[in-house]
């Protein structure tokens, strides 16, 4: 979502005549888009801001701004820590940026109201060039998972009108994009008053010119059978669900306020696998939540071994001030958190490797996304299930879907060759 927001800001500022530069010394305005989900992300951002004090002092006319969730969360205290900053802007206030930058020397300006209506629907994002791009379908979140800062920094959930989303995707086609990822903290609850998420998927599926549709994130409690069936029946919607589990232990899930049990989660995975052939399922898993015992942790391990995710992002719990979990006793030692994290990283690596190995010998559609880092003569592309594949370019163009015979698997990468094969699809 932050990457998409940066594209919105780039679109907003370029329409005002600004130009993006990668060269620090050339820039007159420097914006740092920040994340607050974990303390580590904030520490890194603060470190980066610190290194920019020289950039600002070199020419005080320059403007240095911190935007995004950390700006929202910390507000004025950021000026105390980093007095050389010019402005602080939360995720609902980006429309004010051009004025803020143009209005000269407004010292220490903070714009962090959360009015819960901003959707930036009229701003055309400036995407990185490529074949795949993001489109936000909703902003904010109403779930209040007890560990999570997002509802406090991004406000209540609101859905964009379906026509704005469809228009934005139509424009992407004019710029040669062939894959779109629909974004929201919880896309499954998308509802613009007349259309739900399944309707949205169907309508995007009807747009000629788009070849693949992805979406994230799916909250397990809101992934309905209607959505599963729509994914299965819409040929452009990729058979891939990012379905954050967080924990395999019922008491922990309850303390996290996730709204599902272990059994409900595994039942959902079973249903998804029945309804969507060859569906790939990825997840987010957290260890060390307050009160997580060894037994709770082993429940997570057991579930990972049962479900066999294609891949997973794994995290150590990070207390976030203002959340409900912050009041709980953060009683799992840092050492234990690290040890548990190491165990699930290792386990997931083995599972992911086995899953990828199972694809060897199959003929799968791959969409070439960019030249492989390893060789200028090879494409890097992805399967509908989001597995990375490297293959010789031959006559295939960027963004041209092609059937590839998967021949080998090294680390997280599959290798294959272009083939006119008839068997298999995903
Ligand atoms: N809306 C999405 C993404 C939320 S943030 C969802 O509901 O899944 C992405 C991931 O960061 C979460 O799934 C969670 O695993 C992790 N996360 C969020 N808050 C965290 C915290 N306080 N400590 C550690 N990990 C956290
Ligand atoms: Fe955070 Fe939960 Fe909302 Fe995801 S669903 S953004 S984890 S509160």
């Amino acid at each position: 979502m932050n990457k998409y927001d940066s594209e919105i800001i780039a679109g907003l500022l370029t329409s005002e005549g600004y130009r993006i530069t990668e060269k620090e010394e050339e820039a007159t305005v420097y914006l740092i888009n920040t994340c607050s989900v974990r303390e580590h992300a904030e520490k890194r951002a603060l470190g980066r801001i610190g290194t920019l004090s020289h950039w600002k002092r070199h020419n005080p006319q320059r403007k240095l701004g911190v935007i995004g969730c950390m700006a929202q969360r910390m507000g004025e205290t950021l000026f105390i820590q980093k007095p050389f900053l010019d402005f602080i802007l939360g995720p609902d206030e980006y429309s004010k940026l051009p004025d803020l930058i143009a209005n000269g020397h407004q010292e220490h300006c903070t714009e962090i109201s959360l009015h819960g209506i901003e959707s930036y629907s009229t701003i055309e994002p400036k995407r990185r060039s490529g074949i795949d791009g993001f489109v936000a379908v909703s902003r904010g979140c109403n779930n209040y998972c007890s560990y999570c800062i997002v509802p406090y920094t991004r406000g209540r959930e609101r859905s964009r009108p379906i026509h704005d989303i469809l228009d934005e995707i139509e424009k992407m086609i004019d710029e040669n994009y062939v894959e779109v990822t629909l974004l929201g903290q919880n896309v499954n609850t998308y509802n613009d008053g007349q259309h739900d998420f399944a309707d949205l998927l169907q309508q995007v599926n009807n747009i000629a010119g788009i070849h693949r549709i992805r979406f994230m994130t799916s909250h397990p409690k809101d992934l309905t059978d209607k959505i599963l069936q729509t994914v299965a029946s819409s040929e452009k919607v990729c058979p891939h669900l990012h379905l954050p589990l967080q924990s395999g232990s019922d008491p922990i899930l309850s303390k996290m306020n996730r709204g599902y049990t272990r059994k409900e989660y595994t039942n959902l995975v079973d249903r998804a696998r029945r309804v969507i052939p060859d569906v790939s399922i990825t997840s987010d898993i957290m260890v060390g939540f307050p009160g997580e015992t060894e037994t709770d942790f082993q429940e997570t391990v057991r579930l990972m071994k049962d479900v066999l995710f294609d891949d997973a992002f794994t995290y150590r719990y990070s207390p976030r001030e203002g959340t409900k979990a912050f009041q709980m006793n953060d009683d799992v030692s840092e050492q234990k958190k690290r040890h548990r994290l190491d165990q699930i990283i290792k386990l997931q690596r083995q599972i992911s490797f086995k899953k990828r190995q199972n694809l060897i010998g199959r003929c799968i559609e791959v969409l070439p996304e960019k030249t492989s880092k390893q060789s200028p003569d090879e494409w890097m592309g992805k399967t509908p299930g989001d597995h990375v594949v490297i293959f010789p370019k031959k006559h295939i163009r960027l963004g041209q879907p092609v059937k590839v015979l998967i021949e080998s698997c090294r680390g997280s990468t599959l290798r294959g060759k272009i083939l006119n094969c008839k068997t298999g699809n995903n």
Side-chain angles (χ1 to χ4, degrees):
M1 192 59 92
N2 261 13
K3 280 189 187 171
Y4 178 75
D5 279 358
S6 294
E7 292 172 355
I8 293 264
I9 291 161
L12 181 70
L13 292 180
T14 46
S15 72
E16 295 279 328
Y18 289 91
R19 194 169 51 79
I20 297 169
T21 175
E22 300 293 327
K23 293 184 192 138
E24 227 164 75
E25 63 284 1
E26 196 178 89
T28 52
V29 181
Y30 206 124
L31 301 174
I32 302 177
N33 198 353
T34 57
C35 173
S36 273
V37 166
R38 281 166 294 275
E39 191 186 9
H40 181 64
E42 288 197 349
K43 276 196 174 146
R44 285 186 58 195
L46 289 169
R48 184 81 188 98
I49 296 163
T51 63
L52 287 170
S53 62
H54 296 294
W55 177 86
K56 172 72 188 172
R57 275 190 209 112
H58 184 76
N59 178 356
Q61 304 291 322
R62 291 170 163 174
K63 292 286 165 73
L64 180 58
V66 177
I67 60 175
C69 289
M70 188 178 81
Q72 184 71 37
R73 197 186 72 77
M74 292 184 70
E76 299 281 331
T77 53
L78 254 179
F79 285 132
I80 299 168
Q81 287 190 24
K82 313 283 176 194
F84 51 88
L85 286 175
D86 292 294
F87 55 86
I88 291 164
L89 211 68
D92 271 5
E93 302 288 346
Y94 298 148
S95 303
K96 293 186 180 152
L97 255 178
D99 274 351
L100 206 61
I101 297 170
N103 278 345
H105 307 285
Q106 235 175 344
E107 272 212 351
H108 284 190
C109 178
T110 313
E111 299 282 354
I112 53 168
S113 75
L114 272 182
H115 39 73
I117 46 166
E118 186 54 80
S119 66
Y120 303 114
S121 241
T122 54
I123 300 173
E124 210 174 304
K126 187 171 169 55
R127 297 184 172 80
R128 65 184 170 89
S129 62
I131 58 145
D132 55 325
F134 298 126
V135 173
V137 301
S138 58
R139 299 182 72 84
C141 184
N142 290 348
N143 284 317
Y144 293 94
C145 301
S146 63
Y147 50 80
C148 184
I149 195 75
V150 171
Y152 305 95
T153 56
R154 286 186 170 267
R156 307 287 291 170
E157 182 182 294
R158 59 273 185 198
S159 297
R160 286 175 73 188
I162 197 166
H163 293 295
D164 288 349
I165 299 169
L166 299 175
D167 284 352
E168 191 173 323
I169 298 173
E170 294 277 4
K171 283 188 192 133
M172 288 172 71
I173 296 165
D174 296 340
E175 291 166 37
N176 298 326
Y177 290 91
V178 290
E179 179 176 311
V180 61
T181 300
L182 309 177
L183 285 184
Q185 297 301 337
N186 180 10
V187 284
N188 300 329
T189 47
Y190 172 86
N191 198 315
D192 72 349
Q194 284 165 340
H195 309 90
D196 63 14
F197 188 59
D199 300 331
L200 175 66
L201 280 180
Q202 267 161 2
Q203 296 217 21
V204 180
N205 193 64
N206 290 340
I207 299 179
I210 277 293
H211 186 74
R212 278 186 183 176
I213 303 158
R214 297 186 187 277
F215 56 91
M216 69 187 295
T217 297
S218 286
H219 195 302
K221 75 176 166 55
D222 299 308
L223 185 53
T224 59
D225 287 348
K226 184 181 173 195
I227 297 175
L228 291 180
Q229 262 137 23
T230 307
V231 173
S233 62
S234 309
E235 49 171 3
K236 297 175 186 172
V237 179
C238 289
H240 172 212
L241 300 172
H242 185 65
L243 204 56
L245 163 72
Q246 311 302 356
S247 168
S249 148
D250 280 339
I252 297 296
L253 283 172
S254 165
K255 279 174 81 179
M256 285 178 165
N257 191 30
R258 284 294 284 177
Y260 54 85
T261 60
R262 169 194 179 87
K263 189 78 198 135
E264 282 163 347
Y265 186 92
T266 51
N267 283 347
L268 175 62
V269 169
D270 289 346
R271 275 204 309 284
R273 287 186 168 148
R274 264 200 314 274
V275 175
I276 311 168
D278 273 328
V279 66
S280 129
I281 299 180
T282 54
S283 200
D284 291 351
I285 302 168
M286 192 192 303
V287 295
F289 186 79
E292 185 188 69
T293 61
E294 187 56 30
T295 314
D296 293 318
F297 172 65
Q298 288 306 330
E299 286 286 272
T300 301
V301 169
R302 197 161 64 85
L303 197 147
M304 289 172 72
K305 287 180 179 167
D306 284 351
V307 168
L308 301 176
F309 295 114
D310 288 77
D311 219 334
F313 295 109
T314 48
Y315 309 103
R316 274 180 294 146
Y317 167 70
S318 164
R320 306 280 58 214
E321 199 172 348
T323 62
K324 209 161 165 216
F326 194 75
Q327 318 286 339
M328 302 175 192
N329 188 9
D330 183 18
D331 55 357
V332 183
S333 70
E334 233 8 74
Q335 195 195 2
K336 232 180 222 157
K337 282 182 188 165
R338 278 178 200 280
H339 184 57
R340 288 179 184 169
L341 184 67
D342 284 349
Q343 289 178 65
I344 61 166
I345 288 176
K346 232 180 251 164
L347 172 62
Q348 186 54 48
R349 235 181 243 150
Q350 288 164 1
I351 296 170
S352 299
F353 185 68
K354 272 203 186 127
K355 286 257 174 181
R356 280 188 285 268
Q357 270 191 324
N358 288 343
L359 298 175
I360 294 173
R362 294 188 63 179
C363 190
I364 309 180
E365 185 200 88
V366 180
L367 196 64
E369 279 181 21
K370 54 182 159 194
T371 296
S372 148
K373 280 187 194 140
Q374 290 158 20
S375 158
D377 302 324
E378 290 180 323
W379 285 127
M380 185 289 273
K382 294 213 190 93
T383 66
D386 214 29
H387 300 102
V388 173
V389 181
I390 308 282
F391 63 99
K393 283 184 175 172
K394 300 273 174 70
H395 56 284
I396 298 299
R397 285 174 283 111
L398 183 75
Q400 181 188 354
V402 61
K403 290 272 177 152
V404 172
L405 176 70
I406 308 297
E407 295 183 302
S408 65
C409 170
R410 200 183 301 156
S412 58
T413 311
L414 295 163
R415 287 188 155 273
K417 65 176 178 195
I418 301 164
L419 203 75
N420 290 328
C421 42
K422 292 190 181 71
T423 54
N425 186 23
N426 300 317

